[in-house]
Amino acid sequence: LNGKKALVTGGEGGIGKDICLALAREGVDIAYCDVKIESGDGSTQEQVRGLGRKACCMEVDVSAEEQVIHFVQAAIHDLGCIDIFVSNAGIIEWEPVTKITLECWNRILAVNLTGAMLCTREVAKHMVERRKGVMLFTSSTIQFNPAYKEAAYRVSKTGVQVFAETAAVELAPYGIRVNTVSPGLIN
């Protein structure tokens, strides 16, 4: 991985931050986004730079098409290319099916599923042109294990899995490998 360039969504905390740091330890330069970018020593950006790698970041709502387009273009400009794309941004809210609000449903699907689609579409254009790349989607074990009050989240993460499978079929002829990881509960 040494010398590769990666774009990661949801990179300021949790799984996304750990992905950024793991890639940086392997010699990867990082462009990441999140809805809120932290500053200071504990930020992803500073920790990646502390590992001797380039880090550029931007506050982005992945469900906002224009923000995604701008971010992907800026990442390509700053890094020179994108070799690795990690679609990780996601949110969860808990509402039972008898009380789920349209606002909750739409918000979760917009970030978790539409965000994955928008970012993939923009990064895929770049990777198809280069005829190479790797995409990794963060799904969830929730797709296999129904849980109380998680209908919208489960639908979104199952959708991410199905979307990634379709992207894998469509992008394979261009030398682009697509996979998912499905973590369970984390701290």
Side-chain angles (χ1 to χ4, degrees):
L1 294 175
N2 192 41
K4 299 288 185 183
K5 316 295 182 188
L7 184 147
V8 180
T9 65
E12 194 60 60
I15 293 171
K17 182 174 187 172
D18 285 344
I19 289 170
C20 288
L21 297 176
L23 288 170
R25 282 191 286 277
E26 295 294 327
V28 178
D29 291 328
I30 308 291
Y32 73 94
C33 69
D34 214 310
V35 291
K36 176 111 173 78
I37 299 295
E38 303 296 327
S39 59
D41 293 341
S43 71
T44 301
Q45 185 176 32
E46 289 307 312
Q47 288 186 27
V48 167
R49 288 178 178 163
L51 293 167
R53 303 314 308 169
K54 183 174 186 175
C56 46
C57 58
M58 185 180 292
E59 287 188 354
V60 175
D61 174 353
V62 294
S63 69
E65 186 173 29
E66 291 304 317
Q67 290 182 39
V68 168
I69 292 169
H70 177 70
F71 171 60
V72 173
Q73 290 172 347
I76 293 167
H77 178 267
D78 290 347
L79 297 178
C81 68
I82 299 170
D83 300 300
I84 302 161
F85 165 54
V86 182
S87 179
N88 174 72
I91 61 170
I92 186 169
E93 297 177 36
W94 294 272
E95 292 183 344
V97 294
T98 58
K99 296 181 181 179
I100 193 164
T101 63
L102 186 57
E103 292 80 16
C104 174
W105 179 267
N106 287 341
R107 192 169 34 252
I108 290 172
L109 289 177
V111 172
N112 297 2
L113 188 52
T114 302
M117 178 278 294
L118 290 170
C119 294
T120 301
R121 182 188 72 194
E122 296 306 309
V123 172
K125 292 174 189 177
H126 172 71
M127 289 182 172
V128 165
E129 190 174 286
R130 296 180 70 225
R131 300 194 70 82
K132 63 179 176 178
V134 174
M135 295 186 171
L136 179 65
F137 293 82
T138 303
S139 183
S140 172
T141 57
I142 193 71
Q143 66 181 307
F144 310 112
N145 304 301
Y148 184 69
K149 296 184 179 181
E150 293 186 5
Y153 182 72
R154 184 168 193 232
V155 166
S156 73
K157 288 302 186 174
T158 301
V160 166
Q161 178 68 38
V162 172
F163 180 76
E165 290 168 357
T166 304
V169 170
E170 290 185 21
L171 298 174
Y174 300 98
I176 302 165
R177 187 174 67 248
V178 179
N179 284 295
T180 61
V181 293
S182 296
L185 293 174
I186 63 162
N187 290 335

